[in-house]
Amino acid sequence: LGYCYEELKDYKSASEYFKKIIDMKNEFLKGEAYFHLGLIYEAQKDIEKAVEQYKKVVHDYPDTLYVEIAKDRLRRLKAEED
């Protein structure tokens, strides 16, 4: 459901679902959930929180499919900052 809410730009509802995944004991989808939280914060122009989420993906979930995309987003956000 988080993906659907994200697509509809209902970021509050989407973030609630991704946070539920993060709170679960199963590690399987956590890297993906952090990545999508980063996208949500970025869409809301909360760059500091977006960067925190992307860094979490890179450092804590290096085996996720989203790690390279998270690195790219971090580089892009840093370049925009400079």
Side-chain angles (χ1 to χ4, degrees), residues 33-77:
Y34 279 113
F35 176 77
H36 281 277
L37 278 175
L39 293 176
I40 289 167
Y41 288 131
E42 195 174 342
Q44 294 175 320
K45 307 294 186 217
D46 191 340
I47 303 306
E48 186 176 322
K49 283 187 178 179
V51 166
E52 287 175 22
Q53 305 312 304
Y54 296 143
K55 284 182 177 180
K56 186 90 170 156
V57 173
V58 172
H59 296 291
D60 296 348
Y61 301 94
D63 295 329
T64 184
L65 297 173
Y66 293 89
V67 72
E68 293 304 319
I69 303 168
K71 287 178 184 178
D72 287 341
R73 293 194 89 80
L74 284 168
R75 280 191 289 271
R76 187 179 54 77
L77 290 172

Short mmCIF file of all heavy atoms in Angstrom, two decimals, residues 33-77:
data_model
loop_
_atom_site.label_atom_id
_atom_site.label_comp_id
_atom_site.label_asym_id
_atom_site.label_seq_id
_atom_site.Cartn_x
_atom_site.Cartn_y
_atom_site.Cartn_z
N ALA A 33 12.33 0.05 2.17
CA ALA A 33 11.46 0.98 2.89
C ALA A 33 12.21 2.28 3.19
O ALA A 33 11.66 3.38 3.02
CB ALA A 33 10.95 0.34 4.17
N TYR A 34 13.46 2.17 3.65
CA TYR A 34 14.25 3.38 3.91
C TYR A 34 14.44 4.19 2.63
O TYR A 34 14.38 5.42 2.63
CB TYR A 34 15.61 3.04 4.52
CG TYR A 34 15.56 2.79 6.00
CD1 TYR A 34 15.82 1.53 6.52
CD2 TYR A 34 15.28 3.81 6.89
CE1 TYR A 34 15.78 1.28 7.88
CE2 TYR A 34 15.24 3.58 8.26
CZ TYR A 34 15.50 2.32 8.74
OH TYR A 34 15.45 2.08 10.10
N PHE A 35 14.69 3.49 1.51
CA PHE A 35 14.88 4.17 0.24
C PHE A 35 13.62 4.96 -0.13
O PHE A 35 13.70 6.13 -0.50
CB PHE A 35 15.23 3.17 -0.87
CG PHE A 35 15.34 3.82 -2.21
CD1 PHE A 35 16.47 4.55 -2.54
CD2 PHE A 35 14.31 3.74 -3.12
CE1 PHE A 35 16.56 5.18 -3.78
CE2 PHE A 35 14.39 4.36 -4.35
CZ PHE A 35 15.52 5.08 -4.68
N HIS A 36 12.48 4.33 -0.01
CA HIS A 36 11.24 5.02 -0.37
C HIS A 36 10.92 6.16 0.59
O HIS A 36 10.37 7.19 0.16
CB HIS A 36 10.08 4.02 -0.48
CG HIS A 36 10.10 3.29 -1.78
ND1 HIS A 36 9.58 3.81 -2.93
CD2 HIS A 36 10.63 2.09 -2.11
CE1 HIS A 36 9.78 2.95 -3.92
NE2 HIS A 36 10.41 1.90 -3.44
N LEU A 37 11.28 6.01 1.84
CA LEU A 37 11.13 7.15 2.76
C LEU A 37 12.00 8.32 2.30
O LEU A 37 11.60 9.47 2.36
CB LEU A 37 11.50 6.76 4.19
CG LEU A 37 10.42 6.05 5.00
CD1 LEU A 37 10.98 5.63 6.36
CD2 LEU A 37 9.21 6.94 5.18
N GLY A 38 13.20 8.00 1.81
CA GLY A 38 14.07 9.04 1.26
C GLY A 38 13.41 9.76 0.10
O GLY A 38 13.45 10.98 0.01
N LEU A 39 12.79 8.99 -0.80
CA LEU A 39 12.08 9.60 -1.93
C LEU A 39 10.95 10.52 -1.45
O LEU A 39 10.75 11.60 -2.00
CB LEU A 39 11.49 8.52 -2.84
CG LEU A 39 12.46 7.64 -3.61
CD1 LEU A 39 11.69 6.56 -4.38
CD2 LEU A 39 13.33 8.45 -4.54
N ILE A 40 10.24 10.05 -0.45
CA ILE A 40 9.12 10.84 0.09
C ILE A 40 9.62 12.14 0.70
O ILE A 40 9.09 13.22 0.41
CB ILE A 40 8.32 10.01 1.11
CG1 ILE A 40 7.55 8.89 0.39
CG2 ILE A 40 7.39 10.89 1.93
CD1 ILE A 40 7.00 7.83 1.30
N TYR A 41 10.66 12.05 1.52
CA TYR A 41 11.20 13.27 2.13
C TYR A 41 11.76 14.21 1.06
O TYR A 41 11.60 15.43 1.16
CB TYR A 41 12.28 12.93 3.15
CG TYR A 41 11.75 12.32 4.42
CD1 TYR A 41 12.32 11.16 4.96
CD2 TYR A 41 10.69 12.88 5.10
CE1 TYR A 41 11.83 10.59 6.13
CE2 TYR A 41 10.19 12.32 6.27
CZ TYR A 41 10.77 11.18 6.77
OH TYR A 41 10.29 10.63 7.93
N GLU A 42 12.37 13.63 0.05
CA GLU A 42 12.90 14.46 -1.04
C GLU A 42 11.75 15.18 -1.77
O GLU A 42 11.85 16.37 -2.07
CB GLU A 42 13.69 13.58 -2.01
CG GLU A 42 14.56 14.34 -2.95
CD GLU A 42 15.44 13.45 -3.80
OE1 GLU A 42 15.66 12.27 -3.46
OE2 GLU A 42 15.91 13.97 -4.83
N ALA A 43 10.67 14.48 -2.03
CA ALA A 43 9.51 15.08 -2.69
C ALA A 43 8.90 16.19 -1.85
O ALA A 43 8.35 17.15 -2.38
CB ALA A 43 8.47 14.01 -3.00
N GLN A 44 9.03 16.05 -0.53
CA GLN A 44 8.50 17.07 0.39
C GLN A 44 9.52 18.17 0.66
O GLN A 44 9.29 19.03 1.49
CB GLN A 44 8.09 16.41 1.71
CG GLN A 44 6.93 15.46 1.56
CD GLN A 44 6.62 14.73 2.86
OE1 GLN A 44 7.52 14.34 3.60
NE2 GLN A 44 5.34 14.54 3.12
N LYS A 45 10.63 18.12 -0.04
CA LYS A 45 11.71 19.12 0.09
C LYS A 45 12.39 19.09 1.45
O LYS A 45 13.00 20.07 1.86
CB LYS A 45 11.21 20.54 -0.21
CG LYS A 45 10.49 20.69 -1.53
CD LYS A 45 11.40 20.48 -2.69
CE LYS A 45 10.66 20.79 -3.99
NZ LYS A 45 11.02 19.90 -5.06
N ASP A 46 12.31 17.96 2.15
CA ASP A 46 13.01 17.80 3.43
C ASP A 46 14.29 17.02 3.12
O ASP A 46 14.39 15.82 3.36
CB ASP A 46 12.13 17.05 4.43
CG ASP A 46 12.71 17.08 5.84
OD1 ASP A 46 13.93 17.35 5.98
OD2 ASP A 46 11.95 16.84 6.79
N ILE A 47 15.24 17.74 2.57
CA ILE A 47 16.46 17.11 2.04
C ILE A 47 17.29 16.47 3.16
O ILE A 47 17.86 15.40 2.96
CB ILE A 47 17.30 18.15 1.26
CG1 ILE A 47 16.46 18.75 0.12
CG2 ILE A 47 18.59 17.53 0.73
CD1 ILE A 47 15.83 17.74 -0.82
N GLU A 48 17.33 17.09 4.31
CA GLU A 48 18.10 16.54 5.43
C GLU A 48 17.60 15.14 5.79
O GLU A 48 18.38 14.21 5.96
CB GLU A 48 18.03 17.47 6.63
CG GLU A 48 18.92 17.04 7.78
CD GLU A 48 18.89 18.05 8.92
OE1 GLU A 48 18.84 19.26 8.66
OE2 GLU A 48 18.92 17.59 10.08
N LYS A 49 16.29 14.98 5.91
CA LYS A 49 15.73 13.67 6.24
C LYS A 49 15.91 12.69 5.09
O LYS A 49 16.14 11.50 5.31
CB LYS A 49 14.25 13.79 6.61
CG LYS A 49 14.02 14.32 8.00
CD LYS A 49 12.55 14.25 8.36
CE LYS A 49 12.30 14.74 9.76
NZ LYS A 49 10.88 14.70 10.11
N ALA A 50 15.80 13.17 3.85
CA ALA A 50 16.02 12.30 2.69
C ALA A 50 17.43 11.74 2.72
O ALA A 50 17.64 10.53 2.53
CB ALA A 50 15.77 13.08 1.40
N VAL A 51 18.40 12.61 2.97
CA VAL A 51 19.80 12.18 3.02
C VAL A 51 20.00 11.14 4.13
O VAL A 51 20.69 10.13 3.92
CB VAL A 51 20.74 13.40 3.22
CG1 VAL A 51 22.14 12.98 3.61
CG2 VAL A 51 20.76 14.25 1.94
N GLU A 52 19.38 11.34 5.27
CA GLU A 52 19.49 10.37 6.37
C GLU A 52 19.00 8.99 5.92
O GLU A 52 19.64 7.98 6.23
CB GLU A 52 18.65 10.82 7.57
CG GLU A 52 19.20 11.98 8.34
CD GLU A 52 18.24 12.44 9.44
OE1 GLU A 52 17.38 11.64 9.88
OE2 GLU A 52 18.35 13.60 9.86
N GLN A 53 17.88 8.96 5.21
CA GLN A 53 17.32 7.68 4.77
C GLN A 53 18.23 7.01 3.74
O GLN A 53 18.48 5.80 3.80
CB GLN A 53 15.92 7.87 4.18
CG GLN A 53 14.94 8.57 5.09
CD GLN A 53 14.89 8.03 6.51
OE1 GLN A 53 14.68 6.84 6.71
NE2 GLN A 53 15.10 8.89 7.48
N TYR A 54 18.71 7.78 2.77
CA TYR A 54 19.60 7.21 1.75
C TYR A 54 20.89 6.70 2.38
O TYR A 54 21.40 5.63 2.00
CB TYR A 54 19.92 8.25 0.67
CG TYR A 54 18.73 8.70 -0.14
CD1 TYR A 54 18.61 10.02 -0.54
CD2 TYR A 54 17.72 7.81 -0.50
CE1 TYR A 54 17.52 10.44 -1.29
CE2 TYR A 54 16.63 8.22 -1.24
CZ TYR A 54 16.53 9.54 -1.63
OH TYR A 54 15.45 9.96 -2.37
N LYS A 55 21.43 7.43 3.35
CA LYS A 55 22.65 6.98 4.03
C LYS A 55 22.39 5.67 4.79
O LYS A 55 23.25 4.80 4.84
CB LYS A 55 23.18 8.05 4.98
CG LYS A 55 23.88 9.18 4.27
CD LYS A 55 24.44 10.19 5.25
CE LYS A 55 25.21 11.29 4.55
NZ LYS A 55 25.75 12.28 5.49
N LYS A 56 21.22 5.57 5.38
CA LYS A 56 20.84 4.35 6.09
C LYS A 56 20.86 3.16 5.13
O LYS A 56 21.35 2.09 5.46
CB LYS A 56 19.46 4.54 6.72
CG LYS A 56 19.01 3.42 7.58
CD LYS A 56 19.44 3.65 8.99
CE LYS A 56 18.78 2.64 9.90
NZ LYS A 56 19.53 2.44 11.11
N VAL A 57 20.32 3.36 3.94
CA VAL A 57 20.33 2.29 2.93
C VAL A 57 21.76 1.89 2.61
O VAL A 57 22.11 0.70 2.63
CB VAL A 57 19.61 2.74 1.63
CG1 VAL A 57 19.76 1.69 0.54
CG2 VAL A 57 18.14 3.03 1.89
N VAL A 58 22.61 2.87 2.32
CA VAL A 58 23.99 2.61 1.91
C VAL A 58 24.79 1.92 3.01
O VAL A 58 25.49 0.94 2.75
CB VAL A 58 24.68 3.92 1.48
CG1 VAL A 58 26.17 3.71 1.25
CG2 VAL A 58 24.00 4.49 0.23
N HIS A 59 24.64 2.37 4.24
CA HIS A 59 25.46 1.85 5.32
C HIS A 59 24.91 0.58 5.96
O HIS A 59 25.68 -0.33 6.30
CB HIS A 59 25.66 2.92 6.40
CG HIS A 59 26.43 4.10 5.91
ND1 HIS A 59 27.76 4.05 5.58
CD2 HIS A 59 26.04 5.38 5.65
CE1 HIS A 59 28.16 5.23 5.14
NE2 HIS A 59 27.12 6.05 5.18
N ASP A 60 23.60 0.50 6.11
CA ASP A 60 23.02 -0.62 6.85
C ASP A 60 22.46 -1.73 5.96
O ASP A 60 22.23 -2.85 6.43
CB ASP A 60 21.90 -0.14 7.78
CG ASP A 60 22.43 0.79 8.86
OD1 ASP A 60 23.66 0.88 9.04
OD2 ASP A 60 21.60 1.43 9.54
N TYR A 61 22.20 -1.42 4.69
CA TYR A 61 21.60 -2.40 3.79
C TYR A 61 22.35 -2.43 2.45
O TYR A 61 21.76 -2.24 1.39
CB TYR A 61 20.11 -2.09 3.58
CG TYR A 61 19.37 -2.10 4.89
CD1 TYR A 61 19.17 -0.93 5.61
CD2 TYR A 61 18.93 -3.30 5.44
CE1 TYR A 61 18.53 -0.95 6.84
CE2 TYR A 61 18.29 -3.33 6.67
CZ TYR A 61 18.10 -2.15 7.36
OH TYR A 61 17.47 -2.18 8.58
N PRO A 62 23.65 -2.68 2.49
CA PRO A 62 24.47 -2.61 1.26
C PRO A 62 24.13 -3.69 0.23
O PRO A 62 24.52 -3.56 -0.92
CB PRO A 62 25.90 -2.77 1.78
CG PRO A 62 25.75 -3.52 3.05
CD PRO A 62 24.45 -3.04 3.65
N ASP A 63 23.39 -4.71 0.62
CA ASP A 63 23.05 -5.78 -0.32
C ASP A 63 21.71 -5.57 -1.00
O ASP A 63 21.30 -6.37 -1.84
CB ASP A 63 23.05 -7.14 0.41
CG ASP A 63 24.43 -7.51 0.91
OD1 ASP A 63 25.43 -7.11 0.27
OD2 ASP A 63 24.52 -8.19 1.94
N THR A 64 21.01 -4.50 -0.64
CA THR A 64 19.71 -4.25 -1.26
C THR A 64 19.89 -3.78 -2.70
O THR A 64 20.92 -3.22 -3.06
CB THR A 64 18.90 -3.20 -0.46
OG1 THR A 64 17.62 -3.07 -1.05
CG2 THR A 64 19.57 -1.86 -0.44
N LEU A 65 18.88 -3.99 -3.49
CA LEU A 65 18.90 -3.55 -4.88
C LEU A 65 18.93 -2.02 -4.99
O LEU A 65 19.29 -1.48 -6.02
CB LEU A 65 17.66 -4.07 -5.62
CG LEU A 65 17.54 -5.58 -5.74
CD1 LEU A 65 16.18 -5.95 -6.34
CD2 LEU A 65 18.66 -6.14 -6.58
N TYR A 66 18.57 -1.35 -3.92
CA TYR A 66 18.44 0.11 -3.95
C TYR A 66 19.71 0.85 -3.55
O TYR A 66 19.73 2.08 -3.59
CB TYR A 66 17.29 0.54 -3.03
CG TYR A 66 15.96 0.09 -3.56
CD1 TYR A 66 15.44 -1.15 -3.23
CD2 TYR A 66 15.22 0.89 -4.42
CE1 TYR A 66 14.23 -1.58 -3.74
CE2 TYR A 66 14.01 0.48 -4.94
CZ TYR A 66 13.52 -0.76 -4.60
OH TYR A 66 12.33 -1.18 -5.11
N VAL A 67 20.75 0.14 -3.20
CA VAL A 67 21.95 0.81 -2.68
C VAL A 67 22.60 1.72 -3.73
O VAL A 67 22.99 2.84 -3.41
CB VAL A 67 22.95 -0.20 -2.07
CG1 VAL A 67 23.64 -1.03 -3.13
CG2 VAL A 67 23.96 0.53 -1.20
N GLU A 68 22.71 1.27 -4.96
CA GLU A 68 23.35 2.10 -5.99
C GLU A 68 22.49 3.32 -6.32
O GLU A 68 23.02 4.41 -6.54
CB GLU A 68 23.64 1.29 -7.25
CG GLU A 68 24.71 0.22 -7.05
CD GLU A 68 26.03 0.78 -6.53
OE1 GLU A 68 26.45 1.87 -6.99
OE2 GLU A 68 26.65 0.12 -5.67
N ILE A 69 21.20 3.15 -6.33
CA ILE A 69 20.31 4.28 -6.60
C ILE A 69 20.39 5.28 -5.44
O ILE A 69 20.40 6.49 -5.65
CB ILE A 69 18.85 3.81 -6.80
CG1 ILE A 69 18.77 2.79 -7.93
CG2 ILE A 69 17.94 5.00 -7.10
CD1 ILE A 69 17.44 2.07 -8.01
N ALA A 70 20.47 4.77 -4.22
CA ALA A 70 20.60 5.64 -3.04
C ALA A 70 21.91 6.44 -3.12
O ALA A 70 21.93 7.64 -2.85
CB ALA A 70 20.54 4.82 -1.76
N LYS A 71 22.98 5.78 -3.54
CA LYS A 71 24.27 6.48 -3.69
C LYS A 71 24.16 7.58 -4.74
O LYS A 71 24.67 8.68 -4.54
CB LYS A 71 25.37 5.49 -4.09
CG LYS A 71 25.82 4.58 -2.99
CD LYS A 71 26.87 3.61 -3.51
CE LYS A 71 27.30 2.62 -2.47
NZ LYS A 71 28.28 1.64 -3.00
N ASP A 72 23.50 7.27 -5.85
CA ASP A 72 23.32 8.27 -6.91
C ASP A 72 22.51 9.46 -6.42
O ASP A 72 22.84 10.61 -6.71
CB ASP A 72 22.63 7.65 -8.13
CG ASP A 72 23.54 6.74 -8.92
OD1 ASP A 72 24.78 6.84 -8.77
OD2 ASP A 72 23.01 5.91 -9.69
N ARG A 73 21.47 9.20 -5.65
CA ARG A 73 20.64 10.29 -5.14
C ARG A 73 21.43 11.13 -4.15
O ARG A 73 21.30 12.36 -4.12
CB ARG A 73 19.36 9.75 -4.53
CG ARG A 73 18.46 9.12 -5.60
CD ARG A 73 17.08 8.87 -5.14
NE ARG A 73 16.19 10.00 -5.37
CZ ARG A 73 15.62 10.30 -6.53
NH1 ARG A 73 15.88 9.59 -7.59
NH2 ARG A 73 14.79 11.31 -6.62
N LEU A 74 22.26 10.49 -3.33
CA LEU A 74 23.11 11.24 -2.40
C LEU A 74 24.08 12.14 -3.16
O LEU A 74 24.26 13.30 -2.79
CB LEU A 74 23.88 10.28 -1.48
CG LEU A 74 23.08 9.65 -0.36
CD1 LEU A 74 23.86 8.50 0.27
CD2 LEU A 74 22.71 10.68 0.69
N ARG A 75 24.69 11.61 -4.22
CA ARG A 75 25.62 12.42 -5.02
C ARG A 75 24.89 13.60 -5.66
O ARG A 75 25.39 14.73 -5.65
CB ARG A 75 26.27 11.56 -6.11
CG ARG A 75 27.43 10.71 -5.62
CD ARG A 75 28.20 10.09 -6.78
NE ARG A 75 27.44 9.04 -7.43
CZ ARG A 75 27.46 7.76 -7.08
NH1 ARG A 75 28.22 7.36 -6.08
NH2 ARG A 75 26.75 6.87 -7.75
N ARG A 76 23.70 13.36 -6.19
CA ARG A 76 22.93 14.42 -6.83
C ARG A 76 22.53 15.50 -5.83
O ARG A 76 22.66 16.69 -6.10
CB ARG A 76 21.69 13.84 -7.50
CG ARG A 76 20.93 14.86 -8.32
CD ARG A 76 19.71 14.26 -8.99
NE ARG A 76 18.81 13.58 -8.06
CZ ARG A 76 17.95 14.20 -7.24
NH1 ARG A 76 17.91 15.51 -7.21
NH2 ARG A 76 17.16 13.51 -6.46
N LEU A 77 22.08 15.08 -4.66
CA LEU A 77 21.68 16.06 -3.65
C LEU A 77 22.87 16.86 -3.17
O LEU A 77 22.75 18.07 -2.93
CB LEU A 77 21.00 15.35 -2.48
CG LEU A 77 19.62 14.78 -2.78
CD1 LEU A 77 19.11 13.93 -1.61
CD2 LEU A 77 18.62 15.87 -3.11
#
